[in-house]
Amino acid sequence: MDTLTRLEATIAQRLTASPETSYVAKLHSKGLAKIAQKLGEEATETVIAALAGDEKELVGEAADLLFHLMVLLAEKGVPLEAVLAELDRREGTSGIAEKAARTE
C-alpha cells in the first residue's frame, strides 16, 4: 500500500508542475475528458494483455491502468483513502449481494 500512497503524493505534486516537464501535468492541462480517455485506453490494453497470456505485458499494463486511475482520482479530488474505505466496506460481502444492493 505504501507504493500507492507515494504515487498519490507524487501525482498531487505534479498536477501543478509544468506540462513540458511532467506527464501528469500534461494530462491535467488537457482536462478530465483526456484523462478519462487515457484511462479507457489503458483498460483496453490491460484486457488485451490478459487475453494474450503474457504475464510481463499484463503486469506493465496493469501498472499503467492503476497509474491513470490515480491521475483521474486526483483530477476529481477523490483521495485514494476513499476508494480503499469503499473496498473495506465491501469486504466479506458477496459480490452478487453487493451489486444487488446497489440496484435496489
Side-chain angles (χ1 to χ4, degrees):
M1 196 40 70
D2 290 337
T3 301
L4 293 179
T5 302
R6 287 192 312 273
L7 179 58
E8 180 179 43
T10 299
I11 289 169
Q13 191 175 44
R14 293 189 181 162
L15 283 173
T16 59
S18 168
E20 287 79 37
T21 61
S22 168
Y23 177 68
V24 171
K26 185 175 181 178
L27 281 175
H28 174 67
S29 72
K30 292 182 178 185
L32 181 61
K34 182 62 177 179
I35 295 168
Q37 176 190 359
K38 189 63 182 166
L39 178 62
E41 290 171 10
E42 296 301 340
T44 300
E45 291 171 6
T46 302
V47 170
I48 291 168
L51 294 174
D54 182 335
E55 182 178 336
K56 183 177 179 181
E57 186 178 351
L58 176 57
V59 167
E61 294 300 343
D64 290 346
L65 179 61
L66 285 171
F67 171 81
H68 286 88
L69 174 59
M70 291 188 66
V71 171
L72 180 78
L73 291 172
E75 184 71 19
K76 293 293 292 179
V78 175
L80 178 61
E81 185 57 41
V83 176
L84 296 176
E86 178 61 14
L87 288 172
D88 286 343
R89 184 189 70 75
R90 294 180 185 186
E91 188 174 357
T93 303
S94 159
I96 294 169
E98 196 280 328
K99 187 169 182 161
R102 282 190 273 155
T103 58
E104 293 175 353

